Amino acid sequence: MIAGSQNGAASSGVSAFPDMTALLDVIFILLVFLLLTANTVPEALEVSLPADSEGQAQSLMVDQQVSVTLFKENDKWGLADTEYSGWHGFESALLQKIQALKSADKQPEIIISGDKNASLEKTLKLFAWLQKHDLSAAHIVMNTSN
């Protein structure tokens, strides 16, 4: 151990301990180099899935989906592939579809898609109707292209 007096070291401007900055820089660079060039063996866990379970899960989800389309025209609504020209016809068809799913013990999954120029009033009217019938889960599909 190097011993030095406090008065002598302070007056001459020389530290009693050697400067380790350059050594630490070299060690750090070597460490980074070794970490970047090290070959790591990826570990993977093989998982075998049943072949028919994926198809069954997908078909169940399609049976539970109710697709609602909002058009930019005020009195035009869409349910699945059918267009309705008024709220009352659309509402009764939507209610029948949801009641049929609920009677089959399925929770309907509502998917809302529509024109970006559809009015906010139309969207809020649909959301209010869904809330009135205790349908809280809804997916909204948005398209920002023209």
Side-chain angles (χ1 to χ4, degrees):
M1 183 166 153
I2 301 174
S5 68
Q6 289 180 345
N7 292 342
S11 63
S12 66
V14 177
S15 174
F17 299 104
D19 187 19
M20 301 293 282
T21 306
L23 180 64
L24 290 175
D25 287 343
V26 170
I27 291 173
F28 179 71
I29 290 171
L30 285 174
L31 180 65
V32 169
F33 176 76
L34 291 174
L35 286 175
L36 291 176
T37 59
N39 291 332
T40 58
V41 178
E43 295 180 23
L45 178 64
E46 290 187 29
V47 178
S48 60
L49 297 174
D52 61 344
S53 68
E54 188 175 318
Q56 289 176 353
Q58 234 176 12
S59 66
L60 290 176
M61 290 301 289
V62 170
D63 291 343
Q64 297 174 7
Q65 292 178 348
V66 178
S67 176
V68 175
T69 306
L70 303 175
F71 296 99
K72 69 178 181 179
E73 295 86 8
N74 281 340
D75 281 345
K76 195 172 179 184
W77 299 83
L79 180 62
D81 293 331
T82 310
E83 292 182 11
Y84 295 91
S85 61
W87 168 256
H88 296 292
F90 168 74
E91 179 186 19
S92 63
L94 181 59
L95 187 60
Q96 287 175 359
K97 177 77 171 171
I98 289 174
Q99 286 176 346
L101 287 173
K102 284 186 175 181
S103 67
D105 291 331
K106 297 179 181 177
Q107 181 62 30
E109 181 179 340
I110 310 295
I111 299 173
I112 301 171
S113 61
D115 193 329
K116 70 177 183 177
N117 295 325
S119 69
L120 180 61
E121 178 183 347
K122 213 174 173 179
T123 309
L124 292 176
K125 185 175 187 176
L126 180 62
F127 281 151
W129 188 88
L130 290 172
Q131 186 177 19
K132 177 181 165 186
H133 293 281
D134 295 326
L135 298 168
S136 59
H139 302 280
I140 301 174
V141 179
M142 299 177 68
N143 187 0
T144 57
S145 64
N146 290 338

